[in-house]
Amino acid sequence: MQSQQPQSPIQQQQQQQQAAESEGSTVGINSNSGMNIFALDISRVQNGDDTRTTLMIRNIPNKYTQKMLLDTINEQFNGTYDFFYLPIDFKNKCNMGYAFINFVSPLHIVPFSQRFRSRKWDRFNSEKVCELAYARIQGTPALVQHFSNSSLLCEDKKCRPLLLVTEGTRKGEVLPFPSQEFEFLTPQWEE
């Protein structure tokens, strides 16, 4: 009989999420323990027990544009994240109240959470309070794959998911978003 190797916390959470979805229970809630697998636990991040890097930022006032939100985030966090997306309701021409951000290290989540979590937004006299949770899709490669063939890439540049440079003199610059074919196909070499 083969012994199973221990699973990482992420593998355990993904397995729990899949089980919850297949049982028809509330997505993100493990019905046995009541644990929300998307809940952000800063102590687990600090201890290195949770290495996920992609967050969902919730309760964003609808009047925030992508530029406004990025300006606010970049006051302290420029170069710490490589993916950002603020979904837009094209009919009403405003954001949908949430965004996704992928940090290059899980430890960048700690100061980000201290700055934004459970705080009111600075602009528009809003009563909304920022909440943070882990996103369902984790990591830049998975996010790129998810969005690479999306019709969003044909929309106004202000409405597209963004890939960003995280180092050097170009830190914070937006990179072109690759198509799935460009990014994920292996080149075939002639012999």
Side-chain angles (χ1 to χ4, degrees), residues 181-190:
E181 292 82 13
F182 175 79
E183 182 69 13
F184 295 101
L185 288 181
T186 306
Q188 300 296 317
W189 301 101
E190 291 182 26

Side-chain angles (χ1 to χ4, degrees), residues 52-107:
R52 291 178 285 179
T53 56
T54 309
L55 294 181
M56 180 182 204
I57 307 167
R58 298 187 313 204
N59 299 331
I60 300 167
N62 299 97
K63 293 180 182 178
Y64 267 80
T65 64
Q66 184 181 74
K67 182 180 180 344
M68 285 181 208
L69 189 54
L70 285 172
D71 287 347
T72 301
I73 291 169
N74 285 337
E75 288 173 7
Q76 287 180 254
F77 301 100
N78 189 27
T80 64
Y81 62 96
D82 58 6
F83 177 91
F84 179 83
Y85 176 48
L86 177 66
I88 300 297
D89 177 344
F90 295 108
K91 182 180 176 187
N92 296 315
K93 300 193 186 314
C94 61
N95 79 63
M96 296 177 71
Y98 60 92
F100 299 97
I101 188 167
N102 184 74
F103 291 95
V104 295
S105 165
L107 293 177

Side-chain angles (χ1 to χ4, degrees), residues 144-145 147-150 153 163 176-185:
V144 168
Q145 186 171 22
F147 288 107
S148 63
N149 286 329
S150 170
L153 299 179
L163 290 173
F177 207 95
S179 68
Q180 187 171 14
E181 292 82 13
F182 175 79
E183 182 69 13
F184 295 101
L185 288 181

